[in-house]
Every structure is written in structure tokens, then in C-alpha cells.
Amino acid sequence: MLEKRRQAALTARKGSGREAKSRVMIAMFCFCAFYVVIGGRLVQYGMADDQATASIPRADMLLASRPDLVDRNGEILATDIRTVSLYAEPRRIVDADEAIERLQTVLPDLDIRTTHRKLSSDSGFQWLRRQLTPKQQADIMALGIPGIGFRPEKRRFYPGGTTASHIVGHVNVDNRGIAGMEKYLDSQGLADLFDLGMTVDEEMEPVALSVDLRVQHIVRDELAAAMERYDAIAAGAVVLDIHTGEVIAMSSLPDYNPNIPSQALEKDRMNRMSAGTYEMGSTFKTFTTAMALDSGRVRMGDSFDASRPIRIGGHTISDFHGKHRVLSVPEIFIYSSNIGTAKMAEVVGVQGHQEFLTRLGLLTRMQTELPEVAMPLQPREWKQINSITISFGHGVTTTPLQTAVAAAALMNGGKLIQPTFLPRTEAEAMAHAVQVVNPQTSADMRELFRLNSLEGSGRRADVEGFRVGGKTGTAEKVVNGRYSSDVRFNAYLAAFPMDAPQYVVLVVIDEPKPEEGQHAATAGLNAAPTVSAIIRRSASLLGVQPKYGRDGSAMLVSY
């Protein structure tokens, strides 16, 4: 009996010992596994990039990159730069009033009420100021405020400032394009990537624009000088390649600095060249003349009686500088006869007139990459009186850019090419070009343009050696529902070199005043000289060689 009890006790002790041993083994395994995991993570962190293991996420993971924008020669128009933004963790703020007081020593314009509300909230994160300067960051860091931190971000920088602002556009504080070609980029899929949270660590390929920064600078410089010289409220210009549709330069003043996007919201800083519509005045006689010639019902040798004003619907149509006689088609053009032009429109008819302007793209919304494009305005119902006034530039408003595009079609052999702000070859342009007038009509219009520059109202636009041609437009603006002879919108629509046109240049000057020593402020006195200055300074940069000599082709001179 005693022996049996001893054996049972011995068996129980052996079982207890095995169980204790198993527990010790399990504990040792868990202990080792725990430290193996910790060791592995330490090795992983040790091999990772410093930024990836920092408490603040990498800049690239915070805000997606945007590709650089460059001009046709590779000059930077827009690029990303690294910056930091100030944030707060309100739950860690000890004293909100004290924190604000100290932050104001570096950021004196800090909104006290808004900041106090943010710092007093129960949230875990609040932005206080986006995109600090390095000095502001260093000064705030030196304050040592608990619960205040910095987060790396990217900021869009425009090294040219105002130079090409209306083309390049700008981004918002989150680096999203909201105007110009910046907005166009987002519409090409970049915004979708951002929305999906997809960021790119590698540097993106630059996006080249059609703009030549050198010519762009000249255009803006001459417009600024013209605004001052003629005391105008605004001015604009575009240089367009007539064979590719590329916009080489385009400027509208007053403009804005895209590094300060809020300026774009200020009055009068809109892009007048594509987002504004205007009655283009006598530059429209270019299209009326082309329409008449292209119809086959009018020839260059034909004449029209311009000796008497036209009376229709209680209105009297007369000429500004009337010759009071029969005028040939070239004379109607260079003397800018309203009467003669209206009679040419009558030959084509109202429906034909409307169809022709639509064919040239002057009555429909222009198709291009730039988002800021306005819709032209025309009468709901075209009557005879409408056709007559529209023939010389009253009654239809259109954008200056599409006026230049339509003129390019009349200079390049008759092909309408939609404008582009991206590089495009002539072959690519021809693939989408639409023949809108006969080549002979185009040749006739080139002849009339040059004739007007030699003998008509465009003499001040000519540049020796570069054979400029064009048409003036002095349009009276509507003030209190009536046309005012004292408030004008002037334009000069030019092309050069006229023996083989390559570029169209359009300058508009809004409400110019007579220059000192002058009694009038017509387009021939202000818009035409501005075109001349732009061509004189930029022609060689555009590769146009000057020609000198009696016939304009006998002698080539390089300089």
C-alpha cells in the first residue's frame, strides 16, 4: 500500500516537471521571437532612406510633383521648389494665447481669431501657414513652441514672374493648376493621378510650350511702353506662326505675377487676348474683302460707288476719311471705306456673310489648350443692317486671338489652323487644317495687306527690310448704350514678311489717348507703331532675314 502511494507521487512529480519544462521552452521561444522581430525591424530601418524613416513624411509623398514648363528653347517658365509649411497639434498646445503671441513675433500678419480657434480645438492637426520662407522657418523653430511643427511641401515657382503669366497660368496652394497651361496639364490626367493619391518620386519630363521667351519679353515690353505712351487702360498682342498655328508670344496688360496668384483676381487683369471679346473695328474689313473676292462675285479690278453715304433703318453709314467718289477694291481697303466695304458685303448677301465668318471661326468658340477662351457674340437674327455694320467691324464681338487666327488663314494660302500653345510641326498642323478660302483669295489679301502698309493707314507699321503688311482698326466703344467717338479700341492686324508670310502680329490698345503733339488716337497712330516696334526687335530672333533694295529682294543683308 505504501509502495503504491510512493510510486504515484513519483509519477505526479515527473509529470509536473515536464509541464514546467514545456512552459519554460515556450517562454524562451516567445522571448527569442520578440527580439528577432525587433532586430529585423532595426535592420530594415537602418537600410532605409533617412527621409523615409523620419517622423515627418517625405515631401514627395505629401504633395505630388508637377512637370517643369519650358519655352520652345528650353528656358524654364515654371518649376517646383521645396518649401515647408507650419502646422500645429492642438492637443499638445499648452497655452494657445502664449503660442499665438510668440508666433506673431515672426508672422505679424497671423490672424489671431482664426489661429486661436484652431489651437483651442480638439483636433490632432491644423495648418497654420503654408509655404514659409527659410528665415521664417528658422525663426519659428528658435521659439521652441511645443505642439508646433513643420511639414515639407512643394511650391510652384515662376522665374519669369509676369512675363508670360496669362499663358503659363498658376496653381493653388495645393499645387493644382487653376489657370493657363497649368490648368491644361491637370486636365490631361495629372489631376486624376493626384485625386487617386498617386505621387511620382522620380522627376517628371518637362513640358515644352510653343512660346519663345525672348519674343514674349519683347512683346510685353513694347505693350507696357505703348500703354504709358498713349495713356491706355490696357493693351495686348499676339505673335502667331501662320503655318503651324503656334502661339510664339502673347501678352495682355495689365497682367499679374503668378508667384502671387491673388493678383489674378484683381480688376482689369484678365487675359484680353483670348478671354475678352471686342468689336475689332476696321480690321474686320479684311474678312469682308476676302469674302467678296472668294465668292467670285467681286474681283480686284472692280469698283463701287462710295460718293454718298448709305441710309438704312434710320442710320447713316459714311466714311471716316471719305473720298466721295467711286473706289476700286484696293482703294476701299487702303482708305478703309465703310461705304465701299458695306457694298461688297451686299454682293455676297446676309446668309453668305454669316456663313463666311463662321467658316473662318470668328463666330464660334475657339479650340485651343488655354482654358480661358471666350465665346464670340453675334446678333440673334442677322438682318441687312447687321450685315452692313458687321462688314466694317460693328455688331460682332470676337477675341483678338481668333481674329489673328482667321487672318493667318488669309495669309497662308487659305488654311484655317486652330492655335496651339504647344510645339507643332507644319505637317502636324496640315493634318488638321481646313481650307476656308481659295489660294488666289489668299494671294490677293497678301497684296492688299502690303499695299496698305505702303500707301494706306498702316504706313507706321512698316519696318525697313521686313516687308510688313496689315490693316488698321479703330473701333468706337459703347458708353451708356451709345458709340462714343472719344473712347476707342484700336487694333493693327499685321503679317510679315509679305513676300512669303510667316507670322501674324496683332496689337490691340484699349482706350488710348492722343500722343503729345497729336490731335487723334487712331490705330494708325498707336497700334501700328507698336506692331512695328515688336517686329523690328523680334524678327531676327524668329529667323526672318531682312531684305533691302528697290524691289525688296535684290540684296540680302545679315546683321
Side-chain angles (χ1 to χ4, degrees):
M1 188 66 180
L2 290 173
E3 182 60 25
K4 286 183 179 178
R5 289 181 178 177
R6 191 180 65 81
Q7 287 295 334
L10 183 61
T11 302
R13 282 201 296 273
K14 286 182 178 178
S16 177
R18 284 196 297 270
E19 186 176 347
K21 188 177 179 180
S22 296
R23 289 176 179 170
V24 170
M25 292 297 292
I26 291 172
M28 289 179 64
F29 176 78
C30 293
F31 184 79
C32 292
F34 176 73
Y35 279 99
V36 167
V37 170
I38 293 177
R41 294 292 290 175
L42 289 175
V43 171
Q44 180 186 3
Y45 288 141
M47 297 178 66
D49 181 75
D50 290 342
Q51 277 191 308
T53 56
S55 59
I56 299 174
R58 296 175 55 180
D60 290 339
M61 301 303 291
L62 293 170
L63 204 60
S65 297
R66 300 182 66 81
D68 288 349
L69 293 180
V70 299
D71 83 336
R72 63 191 300 115
N73 301 312
E75 296 293 330
I76 294 287
L77 298 171
T79 189
D80 280 353
I81 59 173
R82 289 178 179 271
T83 182
V84 295
S85 291
L86 181 67
Y87 72 91
E89 297 176 86
R91 293 170 186 167
R92 296 181 52 204
I93 296 293
V94 178
D95 187 329
D97 293 329
E98 182 185 356
I100 293 172
E101 185 177 346
R102 297 173 71 180
L103 284 173
Q104 276 191 305
T105 61
V106 181
L107 305 172
D109 59 337
L110 197 68
D111 188 313
I112 297 176
R113 180 175 297 179
T114 303
T115 307
H116 190 276
R117 177 175 50 78
K118 290 180 177 179
L119 297 185
S120 303
S121 68
D122 293 330
S123 62
F125 181 91
Q126 290 284 347
W127 285 118
L128 296 184
R129 177 63 61 87
R130 307 291 289 271
Q131 301 176 348
L132 298 174
T133 66
K135 185 176 187 309
Q136 287 173 328
Q137 182 192 14
D139 291 346
I140 294 174
M141 192 178 295
L143 296 175
I145 305 173
I148 297 293
F150 303 95
R151 201 161 182 171
E153 289 195 296
K154 288 179 179 173
R155 178 183 179 183
R156 202 61 163 166
F157 178 61
Y158 304 91
T162 57
T163 306
S165 56
H166 282 124
I167 296 176
V168 175
H170 58 274
V171 300
N172 63 11
V173 72
D174 292 321
N175 229 20
R176 301 291 187 92
I178 57 174
M181 294 303 287
E182 292 279 30
K183 186 174 182 179
Y184 168 75
L185 279 184
D186 282 35
S187 70
Q188 299 304 297
L190 198 59
D192 294 337
L193 288 177
F194 293 170
D195 292 339
L196 292 172
M198 299 176 69
T199 57
V200 180
D201 292 342
E202 298 178 358
E203 189 172 344
M204 302 174 75
E205 287 294 320
V207 174
L209 304 187
S210 61
V211 175
D212 186 320
L213 193 56
R214 302 167 302 175
V215 181
Q216 178 71 26
H217 172 75
I218 290 171
V219 168
R220 187 182 183 282
D221 189 48
E222 290 300 333
L223 290 178
M227 278 187 65
E228 182 178 355
R229 186 182 306 127
Y230 308 118
D231 193 21
I233 65 169
V238 60
V239 179
L240 184 74
D241 187 317
I242 67 171
H243 298 298
T244 65
E246 294 171 292
V247 176
I248 306 299
M250 188 177 80
S251 187
S252 174
L253 300 183
D255 51 9
Y256 71 100
N257 186 346
N259 294 305
I260 312 173
S262 59
Q263 285 187 355
L265 302 176
E266 296 177 9
K267 186 182 178 183
D268 293 333
R269 292 185 186 271
M270 65 174 289
N271 179 3
R272 287 171 165 76
M273 297 305 292
S274 65
T277 61
Y278 306 91
E279 291 186 341
M280 296 301 295
S282 293
T283 56
F284 250 52
K285 291 171 183 167
T286 301
F287 308 120
T288 307
T289 306
M291 172 185 71
L293 294 173
D294 200 61
S295 71
R297 301 174 188 175
V298 176
R299 299 179 183 278
M300 286 282 276
D302 290 346
S303 299
F304 293 84
D305 185 4
S307 59
R308 297 185 181 84
I310 299 173
R311 292 195 60 81
I312 182 170
H315 299 278
T316 301
I317 310 299
S318 59
D319 288 342
F320 185 63
H321 293 295
K323 299 298 178 184
H324 308 294
R325 62 177 173 81
V326 174
L327 299 175
S328 66
V329 170
E331 287 178 324
I332 291 172
F333 193 78
I334 66 174
Y335 297 144
S336 200
S337 169
N338 294 339
I339 301 170
T341 305
K343 291 192 173 182
M344 285 196 290
E346 281 184 319
V347 172
V348 178
V350 176
Q351 289 185 346
H353 193 180
Q354 187 178 18
E355 185 277 329
F356 185 79
L357 294 186
T358 303
R359 197 193 315 163
L360 287 185
L362 290 165
L363 303 181
T364 53
R365 192 173 188 273
M366 184 174 54
Q367 300 298 314
T368 188
E369 299 88 6
L370 211 63
E372 296 81 19
V373 174
M375 179 70 184
L377 298 175
Q378 59 175 312
R380 289 185 179 181
E381 182 183 358
W382 281 50
K383 300 178 181 178
Q384 185 66 26
I385 181 65
N386 300 116
S387 179
I388 287 177
T389 59
I390 291 169
S391 73
F392 51 83
H394 288 286
V396 159
T397 64
T398 191
T399 69
L401 178 56
Q402 63 191 133
T403 303
V405 171
L410 301 183
M411 295 293 111
N412 68 9
K415 298 180 177 65
L416 182 67
I417 304 171
Q418 294 296 338
T420 181
F421 292 84
L422 298 173
R424 181 198 280 163
T425 65
E426 187 171 345
E428 291 170 341
M430 288 302 107
H432 302 284
V434 179
Q435 190 78 35
V436 289
V437 298
N438 296 317
Q440 183 56 48
T441 303
S442 177
D444 291 341
M445 294 311 300
R446 290 197 294 268
E447 181 181 342
L448 291 175
F449 260 38
R450 182 56 179 157
L451 186 64
N452 192 43
S453 183
L454 294 173
E455 303 177 13
S457 56
R459 288 190 292 272
R460 289 179 173 82
D462 199 21
V463 181
E464 188 177 3
F466 290 103
R467 311 167 305 285
V468 181
K471 182 72 186 79
T472 51
T474 305
E476 296 176 348
K477 293 180 70 173
V478 176
V479 179
N480 297 326
R482 299 177 63 88
Y483 284 106
S484 171
S485 59
D486 298 326
V487 185
R488 293 168 172 166
F489 185 84
N490 289 357
Y492 192 77
L493 179 59
F496 80 101
M498 289 312 302
D499 51 345
Q502 182 67 36
Y503 298 99
V504 159
V505 181
L506 172 63
V507 166
V508 299
I509 301 180
D510 199 355
E511 297 188 20
K513 314 298 183 300
E515 193 179 10
E516 186 174 351
Q518 300 285 349
H519 299 290
T522 63
L525 294 172
N526 42 55
T530 305
V531 166
S532 175
I534 290 173
I535 294 175
R536 184 180 296 107
R537 293 177 60 185
S538 62
S540 59
L541 297 174
L542 294 170
V544 179
Q545 296 290 330
K547 293 181 180 178
Y548 297 99
R550 286 183 177 276
D551 60 359
S553 60
M555 181 169 55
L556 281 174
V557 177
S558 61
Y559 66 95

